[in-house]
Amino acid sequence: MLLASFFILFQLFASLGWCLYVPAQNVLLLFESQVRERLLYTENRTHGLFLQMNSDGTVTGSTIETQYCVLELLSVKSGQTVIKSKARSLYLCVNEQNNLRGQVEYSAKDCTFQELLLEDGYSFFLSPHNKLPLSLLEHSQRHRAPLSYFRFLPVQNTVSGRVEELDPSSHHQDLNLDSDDPEGMSSRIQSIFSPSLHSRK
């Protein structure tokens, strides 16, 4: 009788599955199988950039795909996304002025974004502070181009095995919003299919 009871109990646990607690500092570790490895491509009306996190925590736009643009996107709950730089091990975070930064420590109030998927494949990432869409532009620049670089297209990672010999900061250029080609890259993004850009041609 005791043996039969034990067998029934064992079958019950097996059917429900074992729940194990795994202590971890890395918020992504527990959800490793749910992480999307992507590059986040964004654009204004004519040009595009890849979001890149630098070693000092600054967040810039790169005109080319590099290992510093490779990001891990984790959906922690429905519509809530955490973004981490694979090469830098920094979390993408935002302050109350909607300026982006990379930081070592994960903070739910600064580093968990609401992701809104659009019909054309792009996404808005909304600030946890004020629900405004994130942008690669600094807060002080947005009055000049309020609709620039605020929609992001998650692009499949194709640079994981590539070794970058150049300083990643050399791929960043200051944005000249008065120019017709602020990044000087009209011929550099031919390999990226942007539903938004291609639909305008």
Side-chain angles (χ1 to χ4, degrees):
M1 182 69 177
L2 183 61
L3 185 59
S5 298
F6 177 77
F7 180 74
I8 291 171
L9 190 61
F10 178 79
Q11 289 276 24
L12 180 63
F13 277 121
S15 65
L16 293 176
W18 297 95
C19 181
L20 299 176
Y21 171 70
V22 182
Q25 294 289 332
N26 188 340
V27 71
L28 298 181
L29 183 61
L30 295 175
F31 303 93
E32 189 173 357
S33 63
Q34 301 175 32
V35 174
R36 295 172 286 156
E37 198 170 280
R38 297 287 186 270
L39 287 75
L40 289 182
Y41 170 82
T42 185
E43 63 191 11
N44 63 9
R45 290 176 296 178
T46 55
H47 306 98
L49 295 170
F50 296 95
L51 188 147
Q52 167 179 276
M53 274 191 266
N54 304 309
S55 57
D56 62 357
T58 56
V59 178
T60 57
S62 172
T63 57
I64 65 172
E65 303 169 64
T66 74
Q67 62 180 326
Y68 305 105
C69 301
V70 178
L71 305 169
E72 296 174 330
L73 279 67
L74 167 68
S75 296
V76 290
K77 62 172 70 172
S78 179
Q80 301 293 311
T81 301
V82 173
I83 301 171
K84 185 179 182 182
S85 168
K86 185 173 182 180
R88 300 298 190 190
S89 295
L90 297 174
Y91 292 96
L92 182 66
C93 303
V94 65
N95 62 19
E96 293 181 359
Q97 287 73 45
N98 261 25
N99 290 323
L100 298 173
R101 68 181 185 278
Q103 63 184 48
V104 175
E105 295 293 327
Y106 168 76
S107 164
K109 71 181 182 68
D110 296 328
C111 313
T112 302
F113 304 101
Q114 183 179 355
E115 183 177 358
L116 296 180
L117 182 63
L118 305 177
E119 289 182 359
D120 60 3
Y122 282 79
S123 290
F124 289 133
F125 291 95
L126 304 183
S127 166
H129 298 290
N130 49 33
K131 303 302 180 188
L132 294 176
L134 304 183
S135 171
L136 275 185
L137 292 182
E138 290 290 329
H139 181 71
S140 59
Q141 296 176 304
R142 288 179 200 150
H143 70 282
R144 300 172 61 188
L147 300 181
S148 292
Y149 306 111
F150 70 105
R151 300 182 318 146
F152 294 89
L153 182 67
V155 178
Q156 199 76 27
N157 174 27
T158 59
V159 297
S160 285
R162 195 184 302 170
V163 176
E164 298 297 328
E165 297 179 355
L166 299 174
D167 182 346
S169 63
S170 66
H171 302 311
H172 170 66
Q173 300 174 359
D174 291 329
L175 301 178
N176 178 2
L177 298 176
D178 296 324
S179 168
D180 289 337
D181 189 3
E183 298 86 27
M185 60 173 293
S186 56
S187 62
R188 297 188 189 181
I189 59 169
Q190 301 302 318
S191 62
I192 299 299
F193 177 79
S194 160
S196 182
L197 280 179
H198 285 73
S199 66
R200 299 190 188 105
K201 293 182 178 178

